[in-house]
Amino acid sequence: MDDNRVWSFEESLWTASPEHYEESIDDECLMVLPEPPFVMSGQQAIEAVKKTPRWEKVEISERQVARPQEGLIVVAYHVEASRGEEQYAAYCTSTYRWLSHENWRVVQHQQMVPLKSNG
């Protein structure tokens, strides 16, 4: 998967339908998110997404892509997302594994929201 496709895929996980999300998340996926229960399996994350409105606008910056071995892609980035008046920003990582031609699944995802300084 080339870099443009990687970033289109990652953005789609924030904005696309819950059905697309479910098709893209591996059964063995593990996630760490900045809200309880914090640590989730792929199935728990899929269920949570079904109950959450999708983001309307997503801007991804500070993009990094690594390919540590064939069939594995790791991305790290900063995201700013919004829906209506709600705003969200986090640093994220995702890891994809290759299953078959044009078929990649997320096996790891983490979001970290930086603490605000009191300065």
Side-chain angles (χ1 to χ4, degrees), residues 27-69:
D27 291 340
E28 297 299 316
C29 184
L30 294 177
M31 294 193 181
V32 174
L33 303 174
E35 295 180 12
F38 301 109
V39 177
M40 294 186 213
S41 69
Q43 204 54 47
Q44 289 171 312
I46 289 166
E47 291 305 314
V49 164
K50 287 180 182 178
K51 301 172 196 164
T52 305
R54 306 307 292 146
W55 295 102
E56 296 166 357
K57 184 177 176 188
V58 174
E59 291 184 30
I60 296 175
S61 61
E62 300 181 48
R63 300 172 182 212
Q64 302 260 341
V65 179
R67 292 173 174 82
Q69 70 181 49

Side-chain angles (χ1 to χ4, degrees), residues 14-16 52-58 81-83 86-88:
W14 291 86
T15 60
T52 305
R54 306 307 292 146
W55 295 102
E56 296 166 357
K57 184 177 176 188
V58 174
S82 63
R83 59 179 162 238
E86 185 178 359
Q87 304 284 319
Y88 179 75

Side-chain angles (χ1 to χ4, degrees), residues 12-13 39 63 68 77 93 106 112 116:
S12 76
L13 296 171
V39 177
R63 300 172 182 212
Y77 59 95
T93 63
V106 177
M112 191 263 319
K116 297 205 189 286

